[in-house]
Structure formats: structure tokens, C-alpha cells
Amino acid sequence: MTTTAQGEGPRIVGDALAKGVAGDLEGGVDLLVLLIAGGWSSAYALAAMLAETASHIARRDQQPGTVFGMPVQNTETGEWASAEVLPPHVRFAAQFTTAWANRDRAHAEALFTALYERSAPDGSEMVDGLLMLFQMAVCTSEEVIAEERAKREQGSGS
């Protein structure tokens, strides 16, 4: 990753999330290309920033001493299932975010490294996983904005 991309990573992610929240997911993804293409370190830093954002509400509301799990339920049957039934990019994003939220950096790094190595040579599986993380982070950002808007409206008596 270039020094410019390295130093600009948080700004790029912030700008991408702002575009995503504004409804321009494609524009947000376009901004992330530089970070994704920057190699393992850059892509891992991107995954970490997105997982931090995606897990914000859950971590904020977490009760002391609890950890996050990753329950998977079939929405049609109501039956519980293994994470293995999820599409690979969804499974990666969910597992990585769960590990990150639990502050299990070793597990998060191992998940990312496995994805990165599996994705060679074209990197498409890694890109799909990072884009799913991006979508999760956008959803969380939208929720945070809605919460803040509701608080402001309550405070103004509307």
C-alpha cells in the first residue's frame, strides 16, 4: 500500500460510508478500490475499519462480560443452522465482524488470512467478503444516523 493510501485509509472509509448512507453504494465501493488493491495489510486494515463500524451498535449495547455469537437461522423454517450454509462472502463478513467485536484479533486475522489466500490469484472472493463488510457497515451507519436524528427530534420537542 502506498504511504498516501495508508495515511488516507480512515478518510477514504469515512467518505465511502457517507456515499453508501446517501444511497450511492457503487460510489462508496469505487473509493475503497485503492485500499482493496493495496495488498494484504491495506485490505486487512479496511476489513478492520469496516468491522469496527459494523459492530458499533452491538458493542455499544453489550452487557459487561458477554461475548458475541453468530446464530444462523433459516428464515423460512425457523430452524437453526451452521454458518457453513451461508454464502462464502456472507459467512466471512459475519465471522470476521463477530471475532472483531469480541476483540479476538488473532481469530479475525486468521479468518482474513484464509480468505486472502483462498482468493488468489484473482482476489474475487476477498473482494466479495470486503464488499459484504462494507454493506454491513453502511447498515450500521444508517441506524446510528437514524438514532441521532430521533434524539435531536425528541430534544427539539417535535
Side-chain angles (χ1 to χ4, degrees), residues 1 11 14 27 29 34 42-44 55 68 70 91 112 115 136 142 145:
M1 172 168 52
R11 183 195 56 76
V29 168
L34 178 64
S42 176
Y44 180 72
S55 65
F68 299 105
M70 198 182 85
R91 183 174 57 246
F112 184 83
L115 177 72
M136 291 169 60
E142 290 171 337
I145 290 168

Side-chain angles (χ1 to χ4, degrees), residues 10-11 21 30 33 52 61 69 72 79 85 87 90 103 106 108 121 129 140-141 144 151 157:
R11 183 195 56 76
V21 167
D30 289 345
V33 169
E52 186 73 13
D61 298 344
V72 178
E79 297 292 319
V85 301
V90 175
R103 301 307 193 217
T140 300
S141 298
V144 169
K151 285 179 188 176

Side-chain angles (χ1 to χ4, degrees), residues 48 74 88 107 139 141 143:
N74 182 315
H107 188 217
C139 288
S141 298
E143 182 65 26

Side-chain angles (χ1 to χ4, degrees), residues 9-118:
R11 183 195 56 76
I12 291 169
V13 172
D15 290 349
L17 288 169
K19 282 185 174 284
V21 167
D24 184 9
L25 283 174
E26 188 174 316
V29 168
D30 289 345
L31 292 175
L32 299 178
V33 169
L34 178 64
L35 300 175
I36 294 170
W40 189 94
S41 294
S42 176
Y44 180 72
L46 171 61
M49 287 184 273
L50 293 174
E52 186 73 13
T53 302
S55 65
H56 170 75
I57 293 172
R59 287 180 295 99
R60 178 195 68 194
D61 298 344
Q62 182 181 20
Q63 296 299 312
T66 61
V67 295
F68 299 105
M70 198 182 85
V72 178
Q73 187 176 27
N74 182 315
T75 57
E76 292 178 12
T77 66
E79 297 292 319
W80 295 100
S82 163
E84 296 303 313
V85 301
L86 298 171
H89 65 294
V90 175
R91 183 174 57 246
F92 164 76
Q95 289 175 326
F96 187 87
T97 301
T98 301
W100 194 264
N102 284 325
R103 301 307 193 217
D104 187 348
R105 302 298 191 254
H107 188 217
E109 185 175 338
L111 288 165
F112 184 83
T113 299
L115 177 72
Y116 189 84
E117 290 173 356
R118 253 190 343 263

